[in-house]
Amino acid sequence: MQKIEAIIRPSKLEDLKAALENIQIRGMTASEVKGRGLQNNQKQYYRGREVSVDLNPKIKVEIVCHDESVENIISTIINSCRTGKHGDGKIFVYPLERVIRISTREEGAAAL
Amino acid sequence: MQKIEAIIRPSKLEDLKAALENIQIRGMTASEVKGRGLQNNQKQYYRGREVSVDLNPKIKVEIVCHDESVENIISTIINSCRTGKHGDGKIFVYPLERVIRISTREEGAAAL
Amino acid sequence: MQKIEAIIRPSKLEDLKAALENIQIRGMTASEVKGRGLQNNQKQYYRGREVSVDLNPKIKVEIVCHDESVENIISTIINSCRTGKHGDGKIFVYPLERVIRISTREEGAAAL
Amino acid sequence: MKPKVKAVLLIINAMLLTLGLPLLACGAEGPGVDTGDTAFVIICSALVMLMTPGLALFYGGMVRRKNVLSIIMQSFTAMVLVSVQWVLIGYSLGFGADFNHLVGGLQYLGLNGVGGEPSLAYAPTIPHQVFVLFQMMFAIITVALISGAFAERMRYSIFVVFVLLWTTLVYDPLAHWVWGVDGWLRNLGALDFAGGTVVHISSGISGLIACLLLGPRKTDGAEPMVPHNLPMTMLGAALLWFGWFGFNAGSALGASGLAAHAFLVTNTSAAAGAIGWAAAEWLRQGKPTALGAASGVVAGLVAITPAAGFVTASSAIVMGLLAGPLCYFAVSSLKIRFNYDDSLDAFGIHGVGGIFGALATGVFATTAVNSAGVNGLLMGNPHLLWVQLLAVLATAGFASIMTVGILKMLTLVAPLRVSDEDEDIGLDLTQHGEDAYNYGEVSPA
Amino acid sequence: MKPKVKAVLLIINAMLLTLGLPLLACGAEGPGVDTGDTAFVIICSALVMLMTPGLALFYGGMVRRKNVLSIIMQSFTAMVLVSVQWVLIGYSLGFGADFNHLVGGLQYLGLNGVGGEPSLAYAPTIPHQVFVLFQMMFAIITVALISGAFAERMRYSIFVVFVLLWTTLVYDPLAHWVWGVDGWLRNLGALDFAGGTVVHISSGISGLIACLLLGPRKTDGAEPMVPHNLPMTMLGAALLWFGWFGFNAGSALGASGLAAHAFLVTNTSAAAGAIGWAAAEWLRQGKPTALGAASGVVAGLVAITPAAGFVTASSAIVMGLLAGPLCYFAVSSLKIRFNYDDSLDAFGIHGVGGIFGALATGVFATTAVNSAGVNGLLMGNPHLLWVQLLAVLATAGFASIMTVGILKMLTLVAPLRVSDEDEDIGLDLTQHGEDAYNYGEVSPA
Amino acid sequence: MKPKVKAVLLIINAMLLTLGLPLLACGAEGPGVDTGDTAFVIICSALVMLMTPGLALFYGGMVRRKNVLSIIMQSFTAMVLVSVQWVLIGYSLGFGADFNHLVGGLQYLGLNGVGGEPSLAYAPTIPHQVFVLFQMMFAIITVALISGAFAERMRYSIFVVFVLLWTTLVYDPLAHWVWGVDGWLRNLGALDFAGGTVVHISSGISGLIACLLLGPRKTDGAEPMVPHNLPMTMLGAALLWFGWFGFNAGSALGASGLAAHAFLVTNTSAAAGAIGWAAAEWLRQGKPTALGAASGVVAGLVAITPAAGFVTASSAIVMGLLAGPLCYFAVSSLKIRFNYDDSLDAFGIHGVGGIFGALATGVFATTAVNSAGVNGLLMGNPHLLWVQLLAVLATAGFASIMTVGILKMLTLVAPLRVSDEDEDIGLDLTQHGEDAYNYGEVSPA
Ligand SMILES: Nc1ncnc2c1ncn2[C@@H]1O[C@H](COP(=O)(O)OP(=O)(O)O)[C@@H](O)[C@H]1O
Ligand SMILES: Nc1ncnc2c1ncn2[C@@H]1O[C@H](COP(=O)(O)OP(=O)(O)O)[C@@H](O)[C@H]1O
Ligand SMILES: Nc1ncnc2c1ncn2[C@@H]1O[C@H](COP(=O)(O)OP(=O)(O)O)[C@@H](O)[C@H]1O
């Protein structure tokens, strides 16, 4: 099993959820993060002081899945979250040792 | 060393902290996340419009520990966070390469 | 590739960003977390009730990088975030399987 | 006209008649109306009205975020229901012709006969309606105050019925006892300038009874019960303070020196209350808190309410300085000691502060301030203190018994509390289907 | 004096003269000024002024967090621009000597000749300037109300120009029609005590037109459109309610029994509106919401506005009980049905509630309340209802046509909406370069 | 009575006598009291009182979230301490019988002899106590304003002592200079309708001095210093605007045409100030901000304060249009240039705007508005401008010297600032042991 972690634009979350449901993926965990990279800074102004904001709001979506689904999920993420501009985000894939469902104590594939 | 990541109900955090202290585990990092899975959606209403909320508030607890503690911690989590209903959450276990304590530069077991 | 995850004091984020830019590291993802460990609890008071807060605000910084940069980044983090007191935080290093940039579909080193 | 339309009109017309509201000339002013006094009391009514939203914020900031709408909604519910109840029956029960010194008669049902002419008995220089309005705002906030005691656990439908029953069966008679012509406490000579007994003791004691009957909030597995938004509470306290000027100064029922005096001592006691509370915290905890200062302001305001037209500014300083630490003690020690879950200290501040204020009025009152008043203990008249004590006991006793009765009766119909699971999820979602805040991008969908 | 300084002074002096503001004695009071009435209407003006920030919060809590400053800024912009416009030209267009029953003349340009003497035609017991102030606050809130219809998408620069044009070309003439001496709707005998047509119908209808012309907010890929901060909305509703006392009671233009009556029915209808709306929700959704109660309060207030000086308290209960569910139906069903994106229901509440209130005035008005009024349908005079209907149609028609004209004209100059990308990022950042909240430690740098 | 109880009573009685508060008849109205004027000034006092919580929110929204309670608490502290100080000694120092044209005598200590009779010298148509109340609210806000300059770093205990010393040693004498009968600036003919010098210049300059003495906030390793909650700031600005009507119109001390005029020009200048500031931003940054509009409102209000009873509405437009950009320049360029850390621009807005307003009064004042006033430069009288300049210099000089003295003295006792570590953690936790917000489920335990 692997964990796919996608850092995406906040405005793409709804699209992503819909796209994933289309491929029967429902389970996920999302959280708010701020990111920097190649995307331009934002300019803000407070009483004439210009503040350059280099941490842009992003959403991190974590999906744990079977090895065979990884490819499909990745391309779904890319398809629904891509605008082609810097700031679209990244996908990171991590190895995972174990998965357990708390409510039933099931392990592994059954736990998803 | 491994990292145990538990996604739990917000109302179980206090119980979990207490249970972990009982087995001498104090170090942890917690954060707010939203999750979806098999748990039912919530219904909300705004000026007659029904909004179905499919991301439920959860807490992610991360605990880095020695390999031999993993089993004990997992069962402690299950025991204190389980209600038996959908939405109790998951436990994910990840491999870890290194652990360093910033204040002392200690590495490995000494850093925890 | 590896992921470096640093749990640091909130007041050190600006210093860390500056220090990392010095070594040409710009990409990162930051988020707010709360942590407990050896650092002392805070005392708060609400209508005469003393509340002991055992989750201290921290920032989690995640940096995905090439294997050869790991050492350099770790020492940069330590140098800029260390006060020597409990609560400075930890650095965790995780193995990573894949990295993909959404905007260009590039994989691996090119995606960073 | 289409017959269907005609039928609707007839029904509406019938409703109007049933409501019994007469079609009298309100615009016509009686003789003796003073525009300055009228302007003053109308605006004071608006100020007092603002106290209930102020309370909603004061309370709202102190609950956990999952219950903030529910507590605000309870204050709004009090405003909404009592506004209508007062017009239909409440005013009449409070200020209608005396019945056995216990309650007003039904002559003002639907504000029948209440118009632009002053009520000579109650306020001879302002239109009768202005007096009705002003008193209405008192009835509203009183029942809203109680909600602090059982915050975060009562079912909303129970609250709705509770408000209607309590205001009709407890507040209206009490108002008559103390302020109504021939009310028995008034006849006895009890002093209550702006509602210490009627408003604060009655709500504080009822709150205590209610939280005892409902039982404490669930604590196991619950997140820590700390205020979710203290700036909201501070804003609420400020609005309460602001509105309280209308409450106390307006109780002079005219733009007079007495009104100015009441305003002055009100402000003084509020300030002294905050100083007293914060000083007590500083001594005991090592740090004065913002919540403490705000709570001290309210304690000082509660304490001075019955006394505002009867005591000097220096007495107000003393009363505030005592009320602050006293209420601090009540919420931090008494509550722990006796282990009741008065969530937001409706009893600890309004009950305790109100009782203290009523008795202190018996100590500090002086006819030098107000020749219509009575001298208190310090002026050599211990009698007043006994009268005040009797008023306190009568109010507390009546409010307790009635509140027990109302709640016990309601228990027969339905559970008073939400289920444990709903309490866990929070009342906003479970009672109202709403989430107070959706700040983040990871918001509901 | 240095010549440069002198030149500057001359320029400033010239500006003053160009502005045409006379240097007349404002301190001198004319005969007939009543200090009580003056105190009352001045304070009421302050209360009405507070309604616009109240609206800013009411609206602000309902938008997504990325647009909260933009909507608050729109209310502030209305306050700021109309305050100056009113002094320079607005008051004159509304209340200057009648021109063809359609608009006021220019005699009061720059408040020329407006001083401490009462205007006998409009308010004989208060300084003329007080009347100017009071009316100014109405002009401000009216245009601010419209912003709810096109929230979260209009370019700020367009909004600025829209405010100036709309208030001058729509509001000022309308105010003249209904309230100006010899205005045609006033001559016709249409009743509008405190601005149902002028304020609520005109803004509601204009909002509808504007949101149709701008088109709906982008929904694909957007976060769910749920209110970001409901306690803020509740506070806003409370401030609206509070300020509305100034709005309606102040419209009596004196501290009279009529003012008290207007205050009473205003409060009653607000309460009944909330009861009606919440009850409808309870029946249909199974849960009454806090937002629903607050919206019902506003619906009740809107409905009673034209009627406040003409109907009884029992009629106010009926009007509120009907207005609540009616507006609930408008925002939850009508809007879905006809698929327009009236973001914050400026039309659904102010338009629908305003039309209902104007017609209901024709039904419930009675000279028993106010001998200066007219009897309505229920008192056997169907004529008034037709007059009210005509006033509604004329107002709605005029507001629609003018709003279409103004916006179409503006489209020629620049796009009305922000770009899709900017809408996505939010108007706070893209229009104002600000982020409303920076709570977290991971804040911008 | 038990001897112990008796002893306590004796002590309390002694306290009362020590406080020197007489037991005089406050309820009795003297001849010449006008209920309309009284109603007006009492309500205006309440409005001015609300400005300080308004300021608390205005400032509170601008600090970082870890310091929001500390800044709100500083405003509350000013309210609380000055309320008591004013009763005990402040009023007497300000308005007691003149001593050497510099300070009031001690005859009103503990408000001795201040009752329902009007003070003929100060306000002949309202009870003396009303004048006391109204002036009290000015004393409160003045010292609260200063807190903006050294926000986010001063120790709370130092602030407490600073408030008491500053209000007694700086504000009270200054009030006497400008408003007290026989005060030297008043004798000189300096015009200050509602407190431009006394309130704004004195607080602004003292703030500047204080922030220079304390030194800047720590910036290395600090999160970016951006406002944490701008809607809170907007609400604060709205409450300030609302309360300012009481401040300026109330300064007419009666419900007169002059009051209406002051209200009108106040509103006009506020609006023009916002237009000026936002326009300057639009030109320089490309975007007008909400914070800019709110700041411009305050700048316009500050500027018009000394002039409100002396200048025309068109002058108010000009003054606002100049004050906005001037203060914008002060906070965005001057502050950077001279590198002082006036955290929330107490000097940049109140100091700079206040000085501008005082001088502009010397330019624009005209007796056509107020025959009790004086003509200014534009009416051909350059003398007034010199007098105003002198008043500015005297105020600024006195405030600076005294503030330096007070703070230097305090430095001897204890450090003025919190430790670096405490500054890092935030003042809410370290000074008050509280956390302002606990929204999340991961909240403290
Ligand atoms: N090296 C990195 N480690 C962790 N997160 C990163 C890294 N680089 C970028 N990110 C995350 O990805 C987001 C998008 O990256 P960015 O470089 O701005 O544009 P692009 O989408 O073209 O890669 C960033 O905001 C940040 O959250
Ligand atoms: N595939 C997944 N990947 C990541 N997180 C998941 C996944 N499935 C579930 N979760 C997380 O676990 C939580 C609980 O899952 P859910 O399916 O609702 O109930 P259960 O507790 O019975 O597994 C979700 O809210 C989500 O945060
Ligand atoms: N075992 C652990 N697993 C995960 N996070 C931990 C663990 N121990 C500590 N942390 C994180 O590191 C932070 C600092 O740890 P702490 O023990 O307080 O001080 P030190 O910096 O000396 O290690 C904690 O607040 C927590 O966020």
Side-chain angles (χ1 to χ4, degrees), chain E residues 262-282:
Chain E
F263 190 123
L264 181 68
V265 297
T266 298
N267 188 67
T268 308
S269 179
I275 294 173
W277 186 305
E281 286 187 332
W282 214 331

Side-chain angles (χ1 to χ4, degrees), chain B residues 79-98:
Chain B
N79 289 338
S80 58
C81 297
R82 193 170 168 268
T83 71
K85 280 180 252 171
H86 279 311
D88 278 352
K90 316 269 191 204
I91 301 172
F92 302 130
V93 183
Y94 300 88
L96 197 73
E97 227 128 85
R98 293 168 65 186

Side-chain angles (χ1 to χ4, degrees), chain D residues 161-172:
Chain D
V161 183
F162 176 77
V163 165
L164 287 173
L165 293 177
W166 195 91
T167 196
T168 307
L169 302 179
V170 185
Y171 184 83
D172 295 342

